[in-house]
Amino acid sequence: MKSEIATQGKITKMVFGADVIEIKATIPDTHIEQTLSRFNLTLNNDEERYIYFFDTPTLDLLKAGIIARARRIVGEEHDSTIKFRPVVPEEVSDKWRNSSGFKIEADASEKGIVKSASFTLPVKKGLIKDVVGGEKSIAKLFTKDQEDFLVEMANYLIDYSALAILGPLNAHRWEFEDPACPWKITAELWRREDGERLMEVSIKAPIVQAAAAIGGFMAFLAEVGAERDTKQQTKTHWALDFYAAKIRAKGNK
């Protein structure tokens, strides 16, 4: 009992200041079909997305803890996101906490817990396609507020002229419930242009439920036979590493 209380106390300290905790696990390609079948996930009940990242060919933004992303969601509102991690929630000003589209999350996986701040805003339909097609600059996808947020969080001003378009990732997303899991489950299946796939399943829970949610969700995955990827590749690293390497190889020819 004492060790359990100590563990809960440690987790509470690690997530302090976040608005919500998201617990993620990746599913290896060899178990994707089994997982889709187990939860009855098909292309007929998904939400389809096209995701683009923006970084230098040597991933300078990612190395600085920054993610710049745009999502084209079929049939829904499109958006762009600036994300930074790790953050100290107590150092985040109320200006951002009170902004629509801003959130602080504790991201939990088998590798540990890290707190991140993100600022997501809608973009006009057609704008992402114009940027990808070279008709408009990457800078058009992000607002001054998003840029100011990044300067305050990371003391970093993005040089858009140095960025490349990394993507697209074709993504399928599902939200569903399972009687054995008290939290709503989100599953995302990403496919790169080389055909490789990566699947992530996750839940979000209030911070006060952090310890119970981490243990409970991992136990649930084991119970339903969803074997977790021991490499715990994040979707972002898995995508950016591939597309950045492709750009570097093209530049070396």
Side-chain angles (χ1 to χ4, degrees), residues 174-189:
W174 299 267
E175 285 189 355
F176 58 96
E177 296 179 351
D178 189 282
C181 182
W183 301 277
K184 182 177 289 186
I185 303 168
T186 297
E188 285 196 54
L189 176 60

Side-chain angles (χ1 to χ4, degrees), residues 85-103:
R85 58 188 174 198
V87 297
V88 179
E90 304 92 281
E91 297 177 359
V92 178
S93 69
D94 289 341
K95 172 185 176 181
W96 304 118
R97 284 187 173 275
N98 296 328
S99 297
S100 176
F102 177 85
K103 63 182 177 181

